[in-house]
Amino acid sequence: MNSHATGILPDLKPGEDNRRDTIVGQARRFFMSQGYAATRIEPIARAASVSTATLYAYFPSKEHLFGAVIEDAAHDFSRQMETVRLTEGSARDVLMGFALAYARFMGDPFVRSVFRLVMAERPRFREVAIGFFDKGRSDFGHPLILALETLAERGELRIVKASWAAGQLMGMVEHPVFFMPLVTGDEVQAERRPEQIASEAVETFLARYGT
């Protein structure tokens, strides 16, 4: 996401100003717990130990502040995914490394909270929501697609289209750790551990695409 594309995001980037980061951090907490409509600017300013005037100097409106919170969350997700390394080795080793990291990431309650907030406010912040999902798709899917293409070139996989195969692997991981808790308000949680979910997804994937 970028400020020029959405039209509401501030020009300052995370990390450039400590007060700005504090405001965004407190705003994230309020938006996550109360939702967009119920969140008010004054309590955020008090929690961030700044005046309301100072907050508005950074973010002219609640819309700008919400956009900054979502952008900040997207940067957090990117930083987490940067720690995922598609390891050298067999197809099983490479795919297991990705699947396990992806299962742990998508199973994080904070990740679900951000997605719920974005989906709830999508009609009001359509471009912000689209940018958020597009960035997530790129951060997660692109490295996996490249890895699948490499494994296919080495003769370890038989795939027609790497993006389709990547979506299938990610979907097998997402369903139990992310979508079930997401749609049930966290009332239904996966009974299997992330290691088991990742392992079973990889074995199913290899049964379909392995050589």
Side-chain angles (χ1 to χ4, degrees), residues 84-118:
V84 176
R85 296 290 180 264
L86 295 175
T87 59
E88 296 293 332
S90 68
R92 180 174 280 101
D93 291 339
V94 171
L95 297 174
M96 186 62 190
F98 176 88
L100 181 56
Y102 193 56
R104 289 170 173 165
F105 176 80
M106 295 302 287
D108 187 335
F110 172 67
V111 174
R112 290 195 298 276
S113 296
V114 173
F115 272 80
R116 285 194 186 101
L117 184 60
V118 172

Side-chain angles (χ1 to χ4, degrees), residues 55-92:
L55 187 151
Y56 278 122
Y58 285 95
F59 306 103
S61 67
K62 188 164 77 168
E63 289 85 354
H64 282 82
L65 183 54
F66 180 80
V69 166
I70 298 306
E71 185 173 34
D72 187 66
H75 281 291
D76 272 359
F77 294 169
S78 293
R79 286 191 290 269
Q80 290 186 52
M81 287 307 295
E82 285 173 1
T83 66
V84 176
R85 296 290 180 264
L86 295 175
T87 59
E88 296 293 332
S90 68
R92 180 174 280 101

Side-chain angles (χ1 to χ4, degrees), residues 2-89:
N2 60 68
S3 58
H4 302 292
T6 63
I8 67 169
L9 297 180
D11 291 332
L12 284 171
K13 299 301 181 183
E16 287 186 358
D17 187 295
N18 289 335
R19 284 192 300 181
R20 178 198 183 280
D21 290 347
T22 300
I23 292 168
V24 171
Q26 292 298 329
R28 176 192 287 192
R29 182 169 64 85
F30 278 89
F31 282 128
M32 294 300 172
S33 62
Q34 299 181 10
Y36 179 83
T39 295
R40 297 170 55 247
I41 290 296
E42 292 78 9
I44 295 173
R46 286 197 299 271
S49 300
V50 299
S51 67
T52 303
T54 297
L55 187 151
Y56 278 122
Y58 285 95
F59 306 103
S61 67
K62 188 164 77 168
E63 289 85 354
H64 282 82
L65 183 54
F66 180 80
V69 166
I70 298 306
E71 185 173 34
D72 187 66
H75 281 291
D76 272 359
F77 294 169
S78 293
R79 286 191 290 269
Q80 290 186 52
M81 287 307 295
E82 285 173 1
T83 66
V84 176
R85 296 290 180 264
L86 295 175
T87 59
E88 296 293 332

Side-chain angles (χ1 to χ4, degrees), residues 46-207:
R46 286 197 299 271
S49 300
V50 299
S51 67
T52 303
T54 297
L55 187 151
Y56 278 122
Y58 285 95
F59 306 103
S61 67
K62 188 164 77 168
E63 289 85 354
H64 282 82
L65 183 54
F66 180 80
V69 166
I70 298 306
E71 185 173 34
D72 187 66
H75 281 291
D76 272 359
F77 294 169
S78 293
R79 286 191 290 269
Q80 290 186 52
M81 287 307 295
E82 285 173 1
T83 66
V84 176
R85 296 290 180 264
L86 295 175
T87 59
E88 296 293 332
S90 68
R92 180 174 280 101
D93 291 339
V94 171
L95 297 174
M96 186 62 190
F98 176 88
L100 181 56
Y102 193 56
R104 289 170 173 165
F105 176 80
M106 295 302 287
D108 187 335
F110 172 67
V111 174
R112 290 195 298 276
S113 296
V114 173
F115 272 80
R116 285 194 186 101
L117 184 60
V118 172
M119 288 189 300
E121 300 304 329
R122 183 184 176 95
R124 183 183 285 113
F125 297 99
R126 183 176 180 276
E127 292 184 7
V128 172
I130 290 173
F132 179 79
F133 286 117
D134 284 347
K135 179 172 175 56
R137 186 183 304 115
S138 174
D139 287 344
F140 303 144
H142 186 62
L144 179 58
I145 290 170
L146 293 178
L148 295 180
E149 290 174 344
T150 298
L151 291 170
E153 290 171 0
R154 287 177 5 199
E156 297 186 53
L157 297 177
R158 296 186 304 267
I159 54 177
V160 176
K161 192 173 180 63
S163 60
W164 295 351
Q168 291 167 2
L169 178 60
M170 294 169 72
M172 286 189 286
V173 173
E174 290 167 357
H175 180 74
V177 303
F178 179 73
F179 284 112
M180 283 199 307
L182 183 73
V183 300
T184 62
D186 290 334
E187 292 183 6
V188 177
Q189 298 283 339
E191 296 181 359
R192 295 173 294 163
R193 293 177 55 80
E195 293 81 1
Q196 184 180 358
I197 290 170
S199 177
E200 291 175 358
V202 168
E203 293 305 319
T204 301
F205 185 87
L206 289 174

